[in-house]
Amino acid sequence: MTRLARAGFVVSLVLALLIVGKEFPFDPLLHGHSAVAASSRELASLEQADKSLSQQITKLEQPATVGSIAHAEYGLVPPGQSYEVVLPGAGRHSSGQDPLADNPLPRSAIVPSDAAVSSPPGTAGEPSTAPSFWSRLMARLGRRDGGRPARR
């Protein structure tokens, strides 16, 4: 090949590379690749969140989980059961804050520990409305008729 032919070939090759470089969409191709990688990471994150939520749904379908949430957050108990909250006695908690500030239970169900320990059984918290066995016995013995029912 002659020198002039080689020079023409090199010039045309450089010109072709410039045209291809100018017209070929390298930038969108590179940005598209990074967008696909970002979307793949987001998809993996969403799949992990979906798996976690599916596990939570499975747990919430169990009656024991519902019962523990109802008790912990709303102070509810199963039918036939009652609850009492026993707090430290006066002057036993170090902070000056009200220990019942975040408690969902009604105040009527809360018994100070001093009252629970020092009170006779059945009198902690609210007074009993039904008379005890001994008070009924003493009332019967105190009658004039000796506790016998009246005859007709």
Side-chain angles (χ1 to χ4, degrees):
M1 247 169 113
T2 64
R3 194 174 184 128
L4 186 59
R6 279 189 202 162
F9 177 73
V10 169
V11 169
S12 62
L13 183 63
V14 169
L15 188 60
L17 287 175
L18 284 174
I19 292 172
V20 168
K22 181 75 174 163
E23 297 299 320
F24 192 76
F26 285 112
D27 193 37
L29 185 64
L30 293 176
H31 287 298
H33 179 67
S34 64
V36 168
S39 296
S40 296
R41 286 190 301 271
E42 184 179 0
L43 177 63
S45 171
L46 291 173
E47 286 175 344
Q48 180 65 28
D50 182 49
K51 184 177 178 181
S52 173
L53 290 173
S54 295
Q55 289 173 348
Q56 285 181 357
I57 288 170
T58 303
K59 286 180 183 178
L60 287 173
E61 288 173 346
Q62 299 173 357
T65 304
V66 173
S68 66
I69 291 171
H71 180 70
E73 292 185 16
Y74 301 106
L76 301 176
V77 293
Q81 291 185 2
S82 63
Y83 57 87
E84 291 183 3
V85 175
V86 179
L87 298 175
R92 291 190 187 162
H93 56 346
S94 60
S95 67
Q97 300 173 353
D98 181 13
L100 302 176
D102 296 331
N103 191 349
L105 303 175
R107 296 264 181 189
S108 63
I110 299 171
V111 178
S113 63
D114 294 341
V117 172
S118 62
S119 301
T123 61
E126 0 181 300
S128 176
T129 57
S132 70
F133 169 77
W134 293 109
S135 63
R136 288 189 316 240
L137 180 67
M138 294 306 289
R140 285 187 110 189
L141 290 176
R143 287 192 205 163
R144 288 186 196 184
D145 58 358
R148 284 181 250 120
R151 291 187 150 180
R152 290 185 181 196

